[in-house]
Amino acid sequence: MKKHHKLYIDGQWCTPSSTQFVEIINPATNRVCARTPMANERDVIAAIEAARVAFAAWSQTPASQRADFIHAAADEMENRRDDFIVAISQTMGCPLSLTNDLQVQGSIDAFRTFAKMAFLMEEVEEKEGFMVIREAVGVCTLINPWNYPLSQLAGKMGPVLAAGCTMVVKPAEQTPLQDFIVAEVFDKIGLPAGVFNLTPGIGADLGQVLCGHPEVDMVSFTGSSAAGINISNAAAPGVKRVCLELGGKSPYIITEDTDLAVAVRSGVENVMSNSGQTCTALTRMLVPESCYDEAVKMAKLVAEDIVVGDPENPETRMGPMSSSRQKDTVLNYIEKGIIEGARLVTGGVEMPENLPDSVKEGAYVKPTIFADVGNDMSIAQEEIFGPVLCIISYCDIDHAIEIANDTIYGLSSRISAKDKPAALSIARRLRAGQCFVQGGRYKDKAPFGGYKHSGNGREWGEEGLMEYVEVKAIIYE
Ligand code: NAD
């Protein structure tokens, strides 16, 4: 069992002020797999102060130096790949054989992309009588959830380092292990003291100081809308910049002139990936009435073909939910869907059949599909964050777009149509920060973020860097 005893503050492993530890549960077995210390307010203040002191010199380093550090970190992350894979798989249940592709490789690649972006900080725009320069925003608090714990961290740390900001990092309570490995990586490459500080702990207890401390300039948060609102409230009196990446209830429009079997398969696989714990999951599949029954039958077969099991078994395609609490949340929604009158096509509230004894106590949910879903049902409106797909019928494309946009969220969307021009004409009418058309796949150079309750600000791509930038006009004429 992995045991950590110290926090990483000001370039050193420090004994925490609190004697409180948290036991980390492996959701596949429901057994303790690690123990980590909890920071308290005193530790967080020490971390913020260290980040403030470090900011003065770090923000003035040449971009080439910051890029070298980011590349060195990426190299060391490659060396620690297996440790990341085990840490993430054990704490949130991602199948071991999929964890590198789903959770680790993209984070390392993203670091290299952000290293190149450091040079954007030195670009100067000459205008008529004035110039525009870019400066780092300052000390940043980074708060992350548990579903993609390393990628979400990389998507924030990369631009923080590239821009010349410093950071205090708080992982989710149930998945802190990859953050400890990241601290070891930075320690090994000799990142200047105070640039990266790690203070794991309970978000609700530490939120006020993490987001409200006067020396914090910016908060970047990924997680639930409820926590995002609390974080914004804590940051508001200090007029801090707040970047929020929140939930989604993303639509997937399938038109009748596309290849239905291919479209349905990829839609079901998208939702079931990572046990449905993906903020961009395409959880509302919109299908024309003319091929609705056929699509539902196809979706059922795809879902029932997914191998649910022990994350350590290489055949497993879907592991448990990340915690028993998340399992309960998802099962409640499945019960609600049945009560609301949706048709349960496959899945449901029972444990999946044929689980090996090793994971019989795990937080498992069956891949679940509801048909005959009305878009006003709570299973179509609220983020379930589990392997639950709603299939909704539409009569024409205007109707599909109306249903797609009829949500408080606006994070992602997707279209499978006859061809790219047909898909693009629909994409322009969807109110969401991303739209995948035809075979479009996730790209870390593309800006990512939400409309409406899905958040504000953007991560990834150059837009992700710019969140951490202050723009200064120097006027000389
Ligand atoms: P959460 O939003 O409460 O927790 C995410 C992170 O925020 C954790 O690190 C937590 O410690 C921290 N946090 C919580 N309250 C805080 C506060 N007041 N101040 C500062 N930090 C705070 O999410 P959860 O309770 O773990 O999950 C609940 C639901 O959130 C899920 O069912 C899902 O719908 C949604 N969720 C969304 C995402 C996403 O990527 N958008 C990720 C995880 C969870």
Side-chain angles (χ1 to χ4, degrees), residues 362-386:
Y364 284 88
V365 175
K366 284 179 173 180
T368 295
I369 295 183
F370 280 110
D372 305 341
V373 178
N375 199 50
D376 56 347
M377 292 180 185
S378 49
I379 55 167
Q381 286 294 323
E382 295 170 25
E383 185 177 56
I384 299 175
F385 230 59

Side-chain angles (χ1 to χ4, degrees), residues 150-410:
L150 182 61
S151 326
Q152 284 149 335
L153 182 59
K156 297 183 192 329
M157 285 189 312
V160 162
L161 294 170
C165 297
T166 57
M167 64 191 123
V168 177
V169 168
K170 198 208 81 63
E173 291 80 342
Q174 55 272 61
T175 54
L177 297 187
Q178 68 292 320
D179 286 40
F180 281 89
I181 302 171
V182 164
E184 288 162 9
V185 164
F186 286 138
D187 196 58
K188 173 116 191 243
I189 66 162
L191 189 73
V195 173
F196 170 91
N197 303 276
L198 174 61
T199 57
I202 309 278
D205 296 348
L206 300 179
Q208 188 56 43
V209 63
L210 277 167
C211 310
H213 192 285
E215 293 295 347
V216 170
D217 298 293
M218 171 171 168
V219 182
S220 178
F221 169 73
T222 301
S224 65
S225 300
I229 291 165
N230 288 334
I231 282 165
S232 301
N233 284 336
V239 199
K240 298 174 194 310
R241 189 174 297 186
V242 178
C243 186
L244 301 174
E245 201 277 281
L246 308 175
K249 197 73 199 176
S250 298
Y252 176 18
I253 298 179
I254 295 174
T255 64
E256 60 189 348
D257 44 14
T258 192
D259 183 331
L260 190 65
V262 171
V264 168
R265 169 170 290 281
S266 67
V268 175
E269 288 175 351
N270 168 284
V271 172
M272 304 308 166
S273 171
N274 211 32
S275 303
Q277 302 162 120
T278 304
C279 48
T280 54
L282 302 159
T283 47
R284 293 182 299 141
M285 182 183 280
L286 310 189
V287 180
E289 284 166 356
S290 55
C291 51
Y292 188 78
D293 292 342
E294 207 184 342
V296 171
K297 274 189 215 145
M298 288 171 171
K300 177 178 187 316
L301 291 179
V302 176
E304 291 176 353
D305 215 25
I306 293 170
V307 180
V308 182
D310 185 342
E312 293 189 9
N313 180 344
E315 302 298 314
T316 297
R317 286 289 160 273
M318 199 176 108
M321 305 308 300
S322 64
S323 65
S324 308
R325 190 182 69 140
Q326 193 59 22
K327 173 186 171 174
D328 293 344
T329 304
V330 175
L331 295 187
N332 279 338
Y333 272 112
I334 295 175
E335 277 169 2
K336 217 184 234 185
I338 295 167
I339 292 166
E340 282 179 313
R343 171 161 57 101
L344 184 67
V345 174
T346 188
V349 293
E350 296 82 22
M351 281 286 265
E353 293 92 25
N354 306 323
L355 282 177
D357 286 346
S358 55
V359 297
K360 279 249 157 40
E361 301 300 314
Y364 284 88
V365 175
K366 284 179 173 180
T368 295
I369 295 183
F370 280 110
D372 305 341
V373 178
N375 199 50
D376 56 347
M377 292 180 185
S378 49
I379 55 167
Q381 286 294 323
E382 295 170 25
E383 185 177 56
I384 299 175
F385 230 59
V388 182
L389 170 66
C390 295
I391 310 185
I392 301 171
S393 72
Y394 69 84
C395 54
D396 59 27
I397 207 64
D398 286 341
H399 187 214
I401 291 166
E402 187 189 318
I403 297 170
N405 288 333
D406 179 16
T407 164
I408 59 166
Y409 294 112

Side-chain angles (χ1 to χ4, degrees), residues 27 73-74 176 276 458:
R458 291 292 178 267

